[in-house]
Amino acid sequence: VQLQASGGGLVEAGGSLRLSCTASGSTLDAYTIGWFRQAPGKGREGVSTISDSDGSTYYAESVKGRFTISRNRAENTVYLQMNSLRPEDTADYYCAAFPGHYHGGSIIARPSLQTLALSWGQGTLVTVSS
């Protein structure tokens, strides 16, 4: 599966953006999809995941209540709606596809599991100004 991430941009603190992760070559239905981010000088961290089977969602503590992940099967796309953005949300954002049996919460909590991703989209830059 090939992934295309898009939707990043420059926004003021308190603003919103919606990121898209669109698949080609395969349906996203068979995968757990995760959003990750990497800020300058920092490691890549898990932000949110949505499972393939029951659509269970998981979020990093830092984004709970502000970000919402969703899946549109007809469009073969996973979205990340980001509200109440903060300067510390500034980062390159990536989406990735994992085998469906991996637990979305574990993918966020354990950075080592990122190596199990089957495919990564290119980064989309989100910049939040103060």
Side-chain angles (χ1 to χ4, degrees):
V1 59
Q2 291 80 45
L3 303 177
Q4 176 80 27
S6 62
L10 173 64
V11 64
E12 292 184 349
S16 298
L17 283 173
R18 188 178 76 162
L19 305 184
S20 300
C21 177
T22 302
S24 60
S26 179
T27 175
L28 284 178
D29 289 356
Y31 305 97
T32 288
I33 303 299
W35 280 100
F36 300 80
R37 66 186 181 186
Q38 186 165 20
K42 295 187 177 182
R44 188 166 56 198
E45 63 172 347
V47 174
S48 182
T49 60
I50 186 166
S51 71
D52 64 323
S53 54
D54 61 2
S56 296
T57 58
Y58 299 89
Y59 299 92
E61 286 296 326
S62 59
V63 307
K64 276 184 181 178
R66 301 188 298 124
F67 290 12
T68 303
I69 192 170
S70 62
R71 184 194 296 265
N72 186 315
R73 298 185 187 278
E75 296 179 355
N76 210 24
T77 298
V78 170
Y79 297 102
L80 185 69
Q81 178 68 43
M82 306 187 297
N83 299 329
S84 302
L85 283 162
R86 305 167 179 168
E88 54 264 39
D89 294 319
T90 295
D92 279 308
Y93 284 72
Y94 301 85
C95 59
F98 293 78
H101 61 277
Y102 284 109
H103 187 265
S106 297
I107 290 171
I108 292 175
R110 298 170 59 187
S112 61
L113 293 183
Q114 294 178 26
T115 60
L116 300 176
L118 300 173
S119 180
W120 288 88
Q122 87 292 355
T124 185
L125 179 62
V126 172
T127 303
V128 184
S129 63
S130 57

